[in-house]
């Protein structure tokens, strides 16, 4: 089982060469929220996106809601940022944990394991196993994690 520090290092290593996303492909739709998310995310690489600072700065910042506006490309590109946030915040990441697990388990609705390299898929599996270890007492969450692990096998 990976330690927190090992998992964080694995995330940064596996996703370090991700190509910058075109700002026109970050979100779905033209709503005000989608435009605000594009404005915030467009100048940042996934490594520069400090979701921890965003959530600390604005307690109303619902990162799980942000994922709903991301396009498939946006979700794939910024996924490592959300993984890092969950690892750092752990149980305080709240509903974002459920949202990410749901998105990782429901293929290929928005994000497909086949869109990732072998090393990136291994990191996602490591992330899911880390969550399963940390939420071992939450039976329903562990079932959803197991479903996601099957998808990312």
């Amino acid at each position: 089982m990976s330690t927190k520090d090992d998992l964080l290092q694995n995330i940064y290593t596996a996703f370090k060469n991700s190509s910058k996303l075109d700002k026109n492909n970050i979100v779905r739709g033209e709503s005000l929220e989608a435009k605000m998310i594009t404005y915030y995310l467009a100048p940042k690489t996934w490594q520069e996106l400090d979701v921890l600072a965003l959530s600390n700065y604005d307690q109303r910042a619902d990162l799980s809601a942000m994922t709903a506006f991301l396009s498939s490309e946006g979700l794939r590109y910024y996924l490592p940022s959300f993984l890092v946030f969950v690892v750092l915040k752990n149980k305080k990441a709240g509903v974002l944990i459920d949202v990410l697990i749901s998105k990782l388990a429901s293929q290929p609705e928005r994000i497909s394991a086949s869109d990732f390299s072998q090393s990136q898929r291994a990191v996602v599996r490591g992330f899911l196993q880390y969550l399963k270890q940390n939420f071992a007492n939450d039976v329903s969450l562990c079932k959803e994690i197991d479903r996601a692990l099957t998808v990312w096998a």
Side-chain angles (χ1 to χ4, degrees), residues 78-129:
Y78 290 106
L79 178 65
S81 297
F82 294 112
L83 299 181
V84 167
F85 177 80
V86 169
V87 171
L88 291 174
K89 291 294 259 188
N90 202 353
K91 295 179 180 176
K92 294 180 182 175
V95 72
L96 181 61
I97 294 169
D98 297 317
V99 168
L100 282 178
I101 293 169
S102 176
K103 289 183 185 307
L104 293 172
S106 61
Q107 303 285 315
E109 178 208 340
R110 298 269 315 283
I111 187 169
S112 176
S114 64
D115 293 331
F116 293 85
S117 71
Q118 185 175 354
S119 63
Q120 291 168 338
R121 287 191 304 272
V123 166
V124 171
R125 284 192 306 275
F127 169 79
L128 292 166
Q129 291 163 344

Side-chain angles (χ1 to χ4, degrees), residues 46-78:
W46 76 262
Q47 296 95 329
E48 295 167 336
L49 177 60
D50 189 347
V51 289
L52 194 58
L54 175 64
S55 69
N56 288 335
Y57 171 74
D58 185 352
Q59 295 301 316
R60 297 166 299 148
D62 184 351
L63 300 175
S64 61
M66 180 186 279
T67 65
F69 290 96
L70 294 176
S71 66
S72 296
E73 296 88 354
L75 187 56
R76 278 193 304 271
Y77 181 75
Y78 290 106

Side-chain angles (χ1 to χ4, degrees), residues 1-2 7 122-135 145-146 149:
M1 222 25 82
S2 291
L7 181 55
V123 166
V124 171
R125 284 192 306 275
F127 169 79
L128 292 166
Q129 291 163 344
Y130 178 84
L131 288 182
K132 188 171 179 181
Q133 178 183 11
N134 283 284
F135 292 92
I145 292 170
D146 285 337
L149 281 165

